[in-house]
Amino acid sequence: MAVGKVTFSKVEREKLAEVLWLLNWISVVTGTILFGLGLFLRVEIHKWQEVMSEQGILYVPHMLITTGLAACCINFFGGKICLDCADTNKFLRWKLVMMPYIICTFFFTSCVLAGALMCYGIRSQMEESLFMGLRNAMRYYKDTDTPGRCNLKRTVDLLQIQFQCCGNTGYRDWFQIQWISSRYLDMSSSAVVDRMRSNVEGKYLMDGVPFSCCSTFSPWPCIQHHLSTSSTQDEQSQQLNLWRRGCRQALLDHYTGIMQSIGLTVLLIWLFELLVLTGVRYLQTAMENVLRLGDPESESDGWILENSLAETARSNFNIIKNLGKCYQVDDDPNINVPTAAAEEELPS
């Protein structure tokens, strides 16, 4: 029994072909949108890739860019096919191309759905990447004269100012690393030497933060040092003095908002492409049935699947199974070698 069986008259087939031609051209526009979204996401990730530990998350924008380009090409080609399929004579030119075209469109539509799901499933990987990347960036914050790290200080400062954040998970993260370069330390001072000797690794640790952690909403000058001393300021003034949120959470919220918006857009594009694919399948089966009937003016049936889903799956499995048997090779060395009894039966 056919799945989704619908009967089409000649006029309905022509209207279906014209609507599909228009939808394919709209799909070219949606493909351009996919490409633009992937490019936008690639640029947004590139802005702060210095504070990310790995570039594995780039597969999401690359997936959207590739899918967008494929959408433009496939739907541009599909518009020409659907317009010609309104005429029975022109359909004969595309008959052998229709099924490969539908299969390619099906895989492309599946890629669109995969891209939408990736946008929603990348949060945990993004969080881990930001945590490791920010930890390394803070560790090398002081290395302004080291090749490859000289721009990290500027990047971290811009990040903390723009997103109003401080540290990885909070401002106390700066207490655990030496963020002041040894070039700016007065090694003749006994206080500096004693502080470095008190640390096992010989680092100059202090309960202070960089200037970029200072809140712009503070009504008084920013206090950056001796933050752990209770007499320095009360809790309320400390909250107004420094940014309280960690940069990992700030960046994660920023990228999560972008991913969710892009994911919703891609999901809507997938539903639209699924509609186009269903219409093309109906047009193909309806036109093939017209050719079987031999009367272009008659009504014809169109469907999504000629048999039920279980029968279709079983048939495809048997086809794959038989293809595997065709390529099996018998390793018996005596194959096709006549036996002695067979040689005696041969006529002289």
Side-chain angles (χ1 to χ4, degrees):
M1 181 179 178
V3 177
K5 185 178 179 180
V6 179
T7 302
F8 295 92
S9 63
K10 180 183 179 182
V11 176
E12 290 173 340
R13 290 194 300 269
E14 292 176 351
K15 289 183 178 180
L16 178 61
E18 293 173 356
V19 170
L20 288 174
W21 171 80
L22 178 61
L23 292 181
N24 272 281
W25 277 106
I26 297 177
S27 296
V28 174
V29 178
T30 60
T32 307
I33 294 175
L34 274 178
F35 177 80
L37 290 175
L39 201 60
F40 168 75
L41 183 58
R42 176 69 180 87
V43 172
E44 283 296 317
I45 293 177
H46 181 72
K47 286 181 181 179
W48 305 108
Q49 67 179 13
E50 287 185 281
V51 295
M52 297 181 185
S53 62
E54 59 184 31
Q55 302 302 319
I57 56 177
L58 288 176
Y59 68 84
V60 177
H62 291 167
M63 178 75 169
L64 295 177
I65 291 172
T66 305
T67 306
L69 292 175
C72 293
C73 298
I74 292 176
N75 290 298
F76 178 81
F77 181 66
K80 172 64 176 175
I81 293 178
C82 292
L83 187 62
D84 288 347
C85 286
D87 187 0
T88 308
N89 296 325
K90 292 182 179 180
F91 175 75
L92 291 173
R93 297 185 303 178
W94 301 107
K95 181 181 179 181
L96 298 178
V97 182
M98 285 293 291
M99 183 53 75
Y101 164 71
I102 290 176
I103 293 174
C104 291
T105 307
F106 174 77
F107 281 109
F108 150 71
T109 308
S110 302
C111 290
V112 176
L113 177 61
L117 296 178
M118 286 178 185
C119 292
Y120 288 103
I122 199 177
R123 179 182 172 87
S124 58
Q125 186 178 355
M126 176 75 74
E127 184 175 8
E128 182 180 358
S129 176
L130 288 172
F131 179 79
M132 300 295 293
L134 281 169
R135 187 181 64 178
N136 294 332
M138 292 173 61
R139 184 183 303 169
Y140 303 133
Y141 178 84
K142 66 181 185 301
D143 299 338
T144 54
D145 55 347
T146 303
R149 303 175 185 172
C150 53
N151 292 325
L152 275 178
K153 182 182 184 302
R154 176 178 175 273
T155 301
V156 173
D157 286 336
L158 285 176
L159 173 65
Q160 294 188 142
I161 293 173
Q162 181 173 337
F163 286 91
Q164 300 181 355
C165 59
C166 184
N168 195 336
T169 59
Y171 72 94
R172 292 185 178 273
D173 293 336
W174 290 106
F175 299 176
Q176 304 171 9
I177 61 173
Q178 179 181 341
W179 54 271
I180 298 179
S181 177
S182 300
R183 295 186 303 165
Y184 304 106
L185 296 177
D186 185 9
M187 302 306 297
S188 62
S189 173
S190 59
V192 174
V193 175
D194 291 342
R195 184 181 290 271
M196 295 183 69
R197 286 177 179 176
S198 64
N199 184 264
V200 177
E201 299 179 358
K203 295 181 179 179
Y204 184 79
L205 303 183
M206 56 184 297
D207 53 347
V209 296
F211 77 96
S212 54
C213 284
C214 295
S215 173
T216 56
F217 302 113
S218 177
W220 46 76
C222 180
I223 301 176
Q224 299 176 242
H225 306 289
H226 307 292
L227 297 174
S228 59
T229 305
S230 58
S231 60
T232 303
Q233 49 191 353
D234 57 19
E235 185 65 24
Q236 183 179 3
S237 61
Q238 191 178 27
Q239 290 181 1
L240 295 174
N241 182 57
L242 302 175
W243 302 123
R244 310 295 293 180
R245 186 172 59 162
C247 290
R248 174 175 59 89
Q249 189 62 43
L251 272 178
L252 187 62
D253 293 343
H254 171 69
Y255 282 118
T256 299
I258 294 176
M259 291 290 189
Q260 288 179 349
S261 301
I262 292 178
L264 179 60
T265 305
V266 176
L267 194 61
L268 294 176
I269 292 176
W270 171 72
L271 292 174
F272 181 78
E273 294 292 343
L274 193 62
L275 175 65
V276 176
L277 175 61
T278 304
V280 172
R281 176 59 176 167
Y282 273 119
L283 181 62
Q284 178 220 0
T285 52
M287 293 303 296
E288 287 182 351
N289 287 329
V290 168
L291 294 179
R292 292 192 185 101
L293 295 173
D295 185 7
E297 305 294 330
S298 63
E299 294 184 345
S300 62
D301 294 332
W303 49 69
I304 299 176
L305 294 175
E306 187 173 0
N307 301 312
S308 65
L309 189 61
E311 292 177 356
T312 303
R314 190 182 304 112
S315 175
N316 292 332
F317 177 76
N318 291 331
I319 291 174
I320 296 174
K321 186 177 180 180
N322 292 330
L323 287 175
K325 289 182 179 180
C326 293
Y327 290 98
Q328 288 181 354
V329 179
D330 198 333
D331 296 330
D332 187 359
N334 297 321
I335 192 170
N336 295 331
V337 178
T339 61
E343 292 177 354
E344 293 177 357
E345 294 178 359
L346 292 175
S348 59

